[in-house]
Amino acid sequence: MSYFDEQITLLKEEKQYDYLQHENLLLRSSLQERRVQGVSWFPIAIVNTELGRGDYLTITIQKTNFQDEGHKFRFGMPVALFSNHDPNEDRLEGIIAFVSRDVMRISVRVDELPDWSRRGKLGVDLLFDEHAYKEMFAALDEAKRKSLDIVDDNIVRQLLGNESWHPKVLEAGMYQSPNLNESQNKAVASMLADNPLTILHGPPGTGKTTTLIAGIQALLKKDKRQILVVTPSNTAVDILAEKLDELGVSVLRIGNPVRVSDHLQELTLDAKIDKHIANKERKNLEKQVRAYTDMAHKYKRNFGKSERDQRKALFDEARKLRKEIDKIQDYIIDDVLNKVEVIAATLVGANHYSIRERQYHTVIIDEAAQALEPACWVPILKADRVILAGDHCQLPPTVKSTTKVNEGFYKTLFEKLVHRFPDAVSLLNVQYRMNKQIMEYPSQILYDGRLEAATAVADWTLKDDMEPVVFIDTAGAGYEETIEDTAISNKEEALFLYRHLLANAQELLRKYDIKNFPTIGVIAPYRQQSAILKDLVANDELLKTIGNFIQVHTIDSFQGQEKDIIYISLTRANSNQQIGFLSDIRRMNVAMTRAKKKLIVIGDSSTIGQHNFYKGFLDYVTGIDQYHSVWEWA
């Protein structure tokens, strides 16, 4: 089986699992449960309909409850409009053309809305996203074809190691910015060296985004060629697009921003089309289209041949005008695309209809270590050279079909290329987040001891605190984990953490005024444990007064964040030394490295101590005299 055949097999397994999970959610969950899960909007109102691009009817809908619920609806995803009068029969499928927090535009291939849309309350369900999988399968097929093309040098063969290439080296002195440290300057220089592959390895707190943006600016100055910048998530795309725009880089955000901001909306294709000088003509024609369709819709159901012919003639005239509108829109889109310096999208969004056929000298993939490999090949196939940024020692991609964290899609393209081409890697080695004692153990175990703490943070601590890293051992205290269905929790450990946090908060309130109060993160690897801790914190009267400074969540939700104080409840406590996905040390690296000034880890040494990572951590805290037993608080 070839390399890409293996990827295709893995993707088929992922798709099948994902499909069954989604169908189970839609078929077996109540409407209220689907709303909570973010896959349904209900109730909604239709606020506008108009004939859209390519003979599609565009329906604009709006939530009518306006509750601040998160949702999973994204540009390009399939949805179904339904009526609660008969939700199984009264359904109309379409594609999301735009979505914000409360408003959605859906493209459907009908001339007018069905009669049932005027009966009962309406809602929208998110359907299984076949589109993303189609794009990934197509990318793998094309990458496979290119990998077998021995006549033509191409990026696929180079990345697989089938085509030799010799790295061009630019010393750090070739690029110098006083705002960057030596490793960051060297990384930007490597981006300018024009190799087929450049990798920015950015451990926690080392300024990866700052370095990447400096590199993009330097590339634009050097080459003046358009750059495609992509990430696995919409939120990460938004952050990059916003930062580049603030620095005066001309950015086009393909797709709809998740971060609700007027400024970000202005970077979208829709907004740039709206401001284009040729758009006035397009709007005038659209008024005529609306006039014709409004006249056509005035005909009632019972009418004769002449009325039917007239109705058809009005729709035909509207379609002719629509084709003229599409031509003007194509011209505007091309003009917008040709004038921007950076196009920003998600990985699959790199094949958006407006940019599908475009090629780029340089494609940059940020957060590449969190991306499914098939999705990475979508933008890579558009590139002469690729720059990857990320850290394979932090959170892996979300893989739904397996929990075996050392195989399949958990082994990312980023990690493979780091090992395959070590000379292409630039490690950012100065971190600006953590006290050096918090940094030291992750640095030793995951980064070959190469990380340094910047002078400004190396020795920072909370007031009158001499222990930046604390491990509290619950061994022998009888704090046993419980497993219900698949949910794992440890109520006694949660209660101990809550009491410790409460005492700590009382002490901190004596030392800090409320304006300068330290931020606190409480992390549990397991959802059930996180839920117990959230309830304990939310129901305490004192902790409520500093509630804005405390966040309780799972590890994944803390990625990219930092807090002055981090508590970690390891949760596992059993006689078999079973630690489940605590064995994924990438997740624990993320949890530990969220802390700036104080890290407090609570766990059972007899359960975790057989694993090399935790044995090493216990040795480390013992060596710096910051190991404690829970009995000290008895």
Side-chain angles (χ1 to χ4, degrees):
M1 189 182 286
S2 75
Y3 180 86
F4 287 107
D5 286 332
E6 287 180 12
Q7 289 290 311
I8 289 167
T9 299
L10 288 169
L11 190 59
K12 284 178 179 174
E13 292 171 5
E14 184 75 3
K15 180 188 172 185
Q16 180 64 12
Y17 186 89
D18 195 8
Y19 174 76
L20 291 174
Q21 291 284 99
H22 190 87
E23 289 304 291
N24 283 338
L25 179 60
L26 281 186
L27 296 173
R28 297 182 185 177
S29 302
S30 68
L31 184 51
Q32 177 59 25
E33 287 170 331
R34 299 202 308 272
R35 276 177 51 183
V36 170
Q37 291 284 334
V39 297
S40 293
W41 280 10
F42 184 87
I44 57 98
I46 295 173
V47 295
N48 189 34
T49 62
E50 59 184 357
L51 193 61
R53 187 179 179 87
D55 289 346
Y56 280 81
L57 186 69
T58 300
I59 307 166
T60 303
I61 66 164
Q62 188 167 40
K63 282 185 185 179
T64 55
N65 61 358
F66 295 108
Q67 290 180 12
D68 192 17
E69 300 167 330
H71 65 78
K72 296 177 182 176
F73 293 85
R74 298 289 179 262
F75 173 86
M77 287 183 167
V79 291
L81 181 73
F82 67 87
S83 163
N84 72 339
H85 181 75
D86 188 351
N88 292 323
E89 290 297 320
D90 296 346
R91 294 178 79 77
L92 179 64
E93 294 188 6
I95 301 293
I96 298 173
F98 170 86
V99 63
S100 61
R101 189 175 62 183
D102 300 314
V103 175
M104 192 187 305
R105 289 203 303 270
I106 305 167
S107 294
V108 292
R109 194 137 214 178
V110 294
D111 284 333
E112 55 189 328
L113 286 172
D115 289 342
W116 58 256
S117 65
R118 292 175 282 279
R119 294 195 303 267
K121 289 184 177 178
L122 300 179
V124 176
D125 280 335
L126 181 64
L127 301 181
F128 179 68
D129 188 8
E130 189 86 36
H131 170 73
Y133 283 101
K134 280 182 179 174
E135 295 289 6
M136 288 190 281
F137 278 120
L140 291 176
D141 286 337
E142 176 64 9
K144 179 182 175 182
R145 188 190 67 74
K146 283 182 174 285
S147 72
L148 300 173
D149 185 356
I150 57 174
V151 177
D152 182 29
D153 286 355
N154 63 67
I155 188 73
V156 178
R157 290 181 61 77
Q158 289 169 329
L159 294 184
L160 291 182
N162 296 341
E163 203 75 63
S164 62
W165 54 277
H166 303 289
K168 303 170 197 167
V169 179
L170 283 180
E171 294 302 322
M174 298 293 288
Y175 177 87
Q176 282 294 339
S177 167
N179 299 319
L180 302 182
N181 64 46
E182 184 182 346
S183 69
Q184 291 170 330
N185 276 316
K186 193 173 180 183
V188 174
S190 72
M191 291 174 70
L192 297 172
D194 210 24
N195 288 310
L197 173 68
T198 302
I199 297 174
L200 265 64
H201 183 187
T206 54
K208 172 180 64 69
T209 301
T210 300
T211 308
L212 194 59
I213 284 171
I216 291 168
Q217 289 179 291
L219 277 168
L220 291 169
K221 187 176 179 181
K222 173 179 174 267
D223 292 335
K224 296 184 171 52
R225 285 188 277 205
Q226 192 174 77
I227 298 171
L228 175 66
V229 178
V230 290
T231 77
S233 75
N234 278 283
T235 304
V237 179
D238 292 346
I239 290 168
L240 280 173
E242 220 163 15
K243 287 181 182 293
L244 286 165
D245 178 67
E246 285 168 5
L247 293 168
V249 176
S250 171
V251 184
L252 174 65
R253 168 68 163 97
I254 293 293
N256 305 131
V258 171
R259 288 152 66 94
V260 181
S261 139
D262 291 341
H263 193 56
L264 253 178
Q265 298 293 342
E266 289 174 10
L267 305 181
T268 63
L269 188 57
D270 281 353
K272 288 183 184 285
I273 288 172
D274 207 44
K275 288 183 176 177
H276 196 278
I277 193 167
N279 199 44
K280 191 174 180 182
E281 185 183 353
R282 184 183 76 103
K283 284 187 171 178
N284 288 334
L285 289 173
E286 282 185 337
K287 280 182 189 172
Q288 293 179 49
V289 168
R290 278 195 294 276
Y292 283 128
T293 52
D294 287 348
M295 287 165 66
H297 288 146
K298 282 176 184 172
Y299 287 96
K300 305 297 179 190
R301 267 185 180 280
N302 301 314
F303 50 83
K305 183 178 182 305
S306 62
E307 287 87 358
R308 194 159 40 248
D309 289 345
Q310 182 63 21
R311 189 173 195 257
K312 182 179 181 301
L314 288 165
F315 275 129
D316 287 345
E317 199 57 41
R319 286 194 188 94
K320 280 181 195 170
L321 287 174
R322 186 68 240 180
K323 284 177 182 171
E324 287 300 311
I325 291 168
D326 287 350
K327 283 181 188 173
I328 295 169
Q329 187 154 325
D330 287 340
Y331 160 73
I332 295 173
I333 288 171
D334 283 344
D335 196 44
V336 167
L337 286 170
N338 291 333
K339 286 177 178 172
V340 294
E341 295 175 299
V342 169
I343 294 175
T346 59
L347 295 165
V348 172
N351 256 1
H352 183 274
Y353 78 88
S354 62
I355 57 171
R356 179 177 284 275
E357 303 303 323
R358 293 178 89 84
Q359 291 291 126
Y360 309 87
H361 180 67
T362 300
V363 166
I364 296 173
I365 304 178
D366 191 18
E367 305 296 358
Q370 283 187 266
L372 285 182
E373 179 169 339
C376 290
W377 289 105
V378 177
I380 288 172
L381 290 168
K382 300 173 179 296
D384 295 330
R385 63 181 299 243
V386 180
I387 297 170
L388 303 180
D391 180 14
H392 55 294
C393 302
Q394 294 190 62
L395 286 183
T398 300
V399 181
K400 298 171 184 174
S401 55
T402 180
T403 55
K404 295 177 181 175
V405 297
N406 294 313
E407 58 185 57
F409 285 148
Y410 282 112
K411 190 93 169 176
T412 61
L413 182 63
F414 182 93
E415 185 174 358
K416 292 173 189 174
L417 294 175
V418 164
H419 295 305
R420 191 176 297 154
F421 301 107
D423 291 344
V425 180
S426 291
L427 175 72
L428 307 179
N429 69 341
V430 181
Q431 65 83 17
Y432 296 86
R433 176 183 296 159
M434 294 161 269
N435 177 290
K436 63 189 176 189
Q437 288 191 357
I438 299 171
M439 172 203 76
E440 188 58 34
Y441 184 67
S443 176
Q444 287 174 13
I445 204 82
L446 291 164
Y447 304 105
D448 299 323
R450 294 170 67 189
L451 296 190
E452 302 170 11
T455 307
V457 305
D459 297 308
W460 67 358
T461 59
L462 299 171
K463 286 181 182 177
D464 306 322
D465 184 28
M466 304 301 289
E467 293 189 318
V469 182
V470 171
F471 178 78
I472 302 175
D473 192 355
T474 65
Y479 295 180
E480 290 293 314
E481 67 183 56
T482 57
I483 304 176
E484 296 176 17
D485 295 326
T486 56
I488 298 173
S489 62
N490 188 325
K491 185 72 182 286
E492 290 301 320
E493 184 174 293
L495 283 166
F496 173 78
L497 188 154
Y498 155 69
R499 290 192 293 269
H500 190 283
L501 170 61
L502 185 59
N504 199 2
Q506 290 167 335
E507 183 70 21
L508 291 168
L509 282 165
R510 286 193 284 273
K511 295 177 180 177
Y512 292 90
D513 61 50
I514 202 69
K515 285 182 183 176
N516 302 307
F517 197 81
T519 54
I520 302 169
V522 180
I523 301 177
Y526 294 92
R527 278 198 188 90
Q528 186 63 26
Q529 185 76 347
S530 175
I532 292 169
L533 287 162
K534 266 185 185 169
D535 284 345
L536 289 168
V537 170
N539 292 317
D540 184 90
E541 291 304 317
L542 176 71
L543 296 180
K544 276 183 191 175
T545 65
I546 53 169
N548 291 339
F549 298 91
I550 304 176
Q551 185 178 356
V552 185
H553 234 304
T554 57
I555 295 171
D556 292 39
S557 300
F558 272 94
Q559 172 85 335
Q561 295 193 58
E562 55 186 41
K563 303 289 181 187
D564 293 313
I565 304 165
I566 287 287
Y567 279 88
I568 303 174
S569 170
L570 294 178
T571 310
R572 302 308 300 259
N574 56 72
S575 57
N576 303 317
Q577 286 85 46
Q578 295 290 320
I579 64 170
F581 65 70
L582 284 189
S583 60
D584 184 356
I585 61 176
R586 292 172 293 187
R587 278 196 155 79
M588 198 46 55
N589 180 35
V590 170
M592 289 178 169
T593 56
R594 300 310 93 194
K596 295 165 69 176
K597 298 177 180 178
K598 180 107 177 161
L599 172 66
I600 303 164
V601 182
I602 301 169
D604 181 346
S605 64
S606 66
T607 300
I608 63 171
Q610 300 302 308
H611 190 283
N612 286 338
F613 178 84
Y614 297 100
K615 181 180 183 301
F617 181 63
L618 292 169
D619 290 343
Y620 173 68
V621 291
T622 302
I624 58 174
D625 201 24
Q626 290 173 36
Y627 168 93
H628 295 273
S629 168
V630 71
W631 297 106
E632 295 174 37
W633 285 267

